[in-house]
Amino acid sequence: MPRPGQQLHPHREPVATRPAATVLLLRDAPGTGGLEVLMTRRSAQASFAPGAHVFPGGGIDALDAQSHSVADRRPAQSALHLTQAIAAIRESFEELGVLLARHADGRMADAQDIAAIDRSQPFAAQCAARGLRLAADSVYLLAHWTADRDLARRFAVPFLVARMPEGQVPVADEAEQFEPLWVRPADALARHEAGQFFMIFPTIRTLQRLSGFAHAQAVLDAVAHERPLWVSCPRTGLLAGRQARYMEDEAPFGELALVCPDGQIAHPLDWQSERPVALLRNLQRLTAPNPGVMTGPGTNSYLVGEPATGFIAIDPGPADAEHLDKLWRAAGGDIRAIVCTHSHADHAPGAAPLQALCVRAGNAPPPILGLPSAPTARAASRFTPDRALQDRESLVLQAKAPERGITHTLQVVHTPGHAANHLCLLLLEDGLLFSGDHVLNGSTTVVDPPDGNMADYLDSLERLDACCVQHGVEFILPAHGYVLGDARGALARLRAHRLAREARVLAAMQALPRGSLEDWVRHAYDDVPQRMWPVAQRSLLAHVERIRALQPGND
């Protein structure tokens, strides 16, 4: 974790969460079929999400946990999940008059039962008095949401699912909830986009995921394993001056976790090349103005350090005079070293002009550091540093006044694969990994033989994972895209993706033993836009080389 003293924003303890439960009542649309979900509109005077269209639900109270004896449960349903299911059943009755309960003979509650139970009185006791058992065994866990850290009122909410009992008709309480309606997830989302159907973030994201299911049983089958399909506590940043929320699997999430760990809504996410973006007090990112298919929003140049220590520039990028001038000015002209993670044309060409800029300003020339390009490198990627770095070597920035104790240490990790001379850097004091092109956010690294090697690439991923364990690394700073959180998880997902792709390449080779690379890429990369196939073919070749090395018979 970054040192607290390097965080940009003072610590702010998020508001404690309150337990609640929400239930998505599902059915297949009469006549036409297709999944529908029951939604309702909250009161305009509600203290939380006024006027929003929601699923029925509310807070969990003490009586819910005391009502297990009147509820049916599945053998694998935990006590906590049973309490949550009971709360959801109670709330769906109190708000919409839907009663998920059964008679002793298995009949679901009917209109007569519903009419006999007072919505404003203790719920479970009334059900028991009528010989009804709560059908908690038919309520399944879909997802779990914890409200964003920036909110003044926060709830920890399981989103549960159940099939709507046949013959029952929802009737809103006209106090908290109004206008119940059945709606297809895609239709609700379209109406929201048109400004006709206000919903809050968790509702929107849940409907987006539900829209991939054809019917109610498909949803129930997906959740039968007793584990949520997703767990999320979103984070919020600023995009085009407006608040934008993101889940853990979305690209900006890790960056928001690094810069605004307590949920401060203060970090701009707009990609621009005009000014550096502060990520920590000792860390700035300036994105080069070279966006494109291969570079995403542009190449990220990083400055590590502070005025008391001077700065190390990582990946100065292309030889763009304006970009280099901005990088130099962001460092106050005090650049102590320039490190290139590898020699590709969007990373290293700016090193020499940046060094010259420092000299013209009257400073000592900061050494250009990295690994020399291998003979296998393409002509545009030839690179000779002033000094070749050694694997595990440390580059240290230290304040001139030792009593201040300010130190920033970058450790070199040789990571061949994307390029033979590729290296990554660990900022040891803050547990950060600068990954160059070895790990990207928003795209997959191209491994282009002969300088690229897939076996080396996968081995380097394992090495980086070991470094994350050793040094407590939680964040990865790539050369393209936002900061990645959950560093070890990101590495594991990347490795799994590579191996899954390799399995598809092997299947294509076996299906078309006399096929060409063009034939194989058509089969192994059919989920990739065709315009990207020429690039994908380079990584496919790297997979083919690895497969043939591992299984010599696959020729």
Side-chain angles (χ1 to χ4, degrees):
M1 280 293 291
R3 290 165 284 184
Q6 297 298 342
Q7 295 287 356
L8 295 175
H9 307 288
H11 175 68
R12 183 194 67 184
E13 193 66 28
V15 173
T17 59
R18 307 177 189 181
T22 289
V23 62
L24 284 70
L25 295 166
L26 309 177
R27 75 174 188 183
D28 296 320
T32 58
L35 176 66
E36 289 186 330
V37 60
L38 183 59
M39 300 190 71
T40 181
R41 179 174 58 81
R42 286 182 63 79
S43 166
Q45 285 72 48
S47 59
F48 181 78
H53 286 83
V54 297
F55 314 117
I60 296 174
D61 63 34
L63 285 178
D64 297 325
Q66 298 169 18
S67 302
H68 289 195
S69 62
V70 298
D72 293 330
R73 69 190 292 184
R74 300 180 298 277
Q77 197 170 15
S78 70
L80 173 61
H81 289 168
L82 181 60
T83 297
Q84 294 167 343
I86 291 170
I89 292 171
R90 175 182 54 75
E91 287 287 342
S92 66
F93 178 76
E94 292 175 356
E95 294 182 348
L96 295 179
V98 175
L99 185 53
L100 291 166
R102 303 186 188 90
H103 289 277
D105 60 5
R107 288 181 298 113
M108 292 299 293
D110 55 24
Q112 187 176 358
D113 297 310
I114 292 170
I117 298 175
D118 188 338
R119 296 193 194 188
S120 64
Q121 298 300 314
F123 170 67
Q126 292 185 81
C127 289
R130 290 191 62 81
L132 293 169
R133 292 188 61 78
L134 305 182
D137 58 341
S138 67
V139 179
Y140 290 84
L141 181 61
L142 173 72
H144 194 284
W145 289 94
T146 302
D148 314 35
R149 297 159 185 82
D150 62 282
L151 296 178
R153 297 187 69 189
R154 303 179 66 221
F155 296 92
V157 192
F159 275 44
L160 308 166
V161 289
R163 191 183 290 275
M164 177 72 177
E166 291 187 12
Q168 293 190 26
V169 177
V171 178
D173 61 10
E174 300 296 325
E176 293 186 33
Q177 305 292 351
F178 300 83
E179 302 171 359
L181 79 159
W182 289 98
V183 62
R184 295 176 186 266
D187 291 343
L189 293 167
R191 291 175 64 182
H192 174 75
E193 283 294 316
Q196 303 166 353
F197 202 76
F198 170 56
M199 297 185 293
I200 60 176
F201 182 85
T203 309
I204 295 168
R205 285 292 195 263
T206 299
L207 289 170
Q208 287 172 342
R209 301 204 176 191
L210 277 186
S211 63
F213 292 93
H215 47 76
Q217 191 57 50
V219 179
L220 296 173
D221 289 343
V223 299
H225 50 55
E226 307 286 352
R227 295 186 303 276
L229 298 187
W230 70 91
V231 175
S232 183
C233 180
R235 290 185 178 275
T236 306
L238 299 172
L239 196 63
R242 303 178 63 181
Q243 293 184 14
R245 300 192 189 276
Y246 299 93
M247 293 174 65
E248 285 78 354
D249 62 341
E250 296 179 288
F253 186 90
E255 182 153 320
L256 294 171
L258 173 66
V259 182
C260 304
D262 304 326
Q264 301 93 338
I265 306 178
H267 186 61
L269 294 165
D270 311 84
W271 286 108
Q272 48 80 27
S273 300
E274 296 304 311
R275 64 193 66 85
V277 174
L279 301 175
L280 294 171
R281 293 186 184 277
N282 61 333
L283 176 60
Q284 302 174 70
R285 177 184 67 213
L286 181 63
T287 303
N290 62 335
V293 173
M294 300 304 297
T295 57
T299 301
N300 292 330
S301 299
Y302 294 100
L303 287 172
V304 174
E306 53 190 294
T309 64
F311 295 83
I312 292 175
I314 300 173
D315 280 342
D320 182 287
E322 289 189 13
H323 172 70
L324 298 173
D325 182 69
K326 291 169 185 173
L327 194 62
W328 178 76
R329 291 180 184 278
D334 189 8
I335 295 178
R336 305 292 178 87
I338 302 167
V339 181
C340 298
T341 61
H342 59 299
S343 53
H344 286 172
D346 59 321
H347 290 258
L354 180 59
Q355 183 187 60
L357 181 60
C358 295
V359 172
R360 286 199 301 273
N363 297 328
I368 297 171
L369 307 175
L371 295 174
S373 53
T376 49
R378 298 182 185 275
S381 298
R382 299 287 165 74
F383 172 72
T384 302
D386 293 337
R387 182 171 70 80
L389 292 170
Q390 301 298 311
D391 187 44
R392 295 295 186 178
E393 177 181 348
S394 291
L395 306 174
V396 180
L397 290 171
Q398 195 161 27
K400 292 181 180 179
E403 66 273 14
R404 293 188 63 186
I406 300 175
T407 303
H408 311 298
T409 307
L410 287 168
Q411 186 179 90
V412 177
V413 185
H414 184 205
T415 51
H418 173 62
N421 70 331
H422 196 285
L423 59 83
C424 294
L425 296 161
L426 292 162
L427 181 53
L428 298 182
E429 291 85 358
D430 296 302
L432 303 180
L433 169 65
F434 296 88
S435 64
D437 275 359
H438 204 83
V439 181
L440 305 177
N441 189 350
S443 61
T444 306
T445 301
V446 175
V447 179
D448 183 8
D451 203 44
N453 181 286
M454 191 60 72
D456 288 347
Y457 183 84
L458 292 170
D459 288 346
S460 293
L461 285 179
E462 290 193 0
R463 189 171 190 213
L464 289 177
D465 181 68
C467 289
C468 290
V469 173
Q470 181 180 357
H471 298 288
V473 173
E474 295 185 15
F475 297 98
I476 298 175
L477 291 91
H480 305 282
Y482 296 112
V483 176
L484 284 152
D486 182 23
R488 295 196 67 204
L491 292 169
R493 288 187 291 273
L494 180 53
R495 179 175 173 79
H497 169 77
R498 286 293 191 186
L499 292 177
R501 183 68 71 188
E502 188 160 288
R504 298 191 66 180
V505 172
L506 177 58
M509 294 170 66
Q510 292 172 336
L512 301 167
R514 297 184 181 278
S516 64
L517 292 177
E518 291 83 358
D519 296 328
W520 293 340
V521 82
R522 210 166 19 245
H523 285 73
Y525 287 81
D526 60 357
D527 58 335
V528 173
Q530 190 169 347
R531 61 185 172 81
M532 297 300 297
W533 285 359
V535 176
Q537 187 173 307
R538 304 309 302 164
S539 287
L540 179 140
L541 175 59
H543 281 298
V544 169
E545 289 180 350
R546 182 172 183 271
I547 289 168
R548 286 175 171 166
L550 293 173
Q551 304 177 21
N554 285 292
D555 293 327

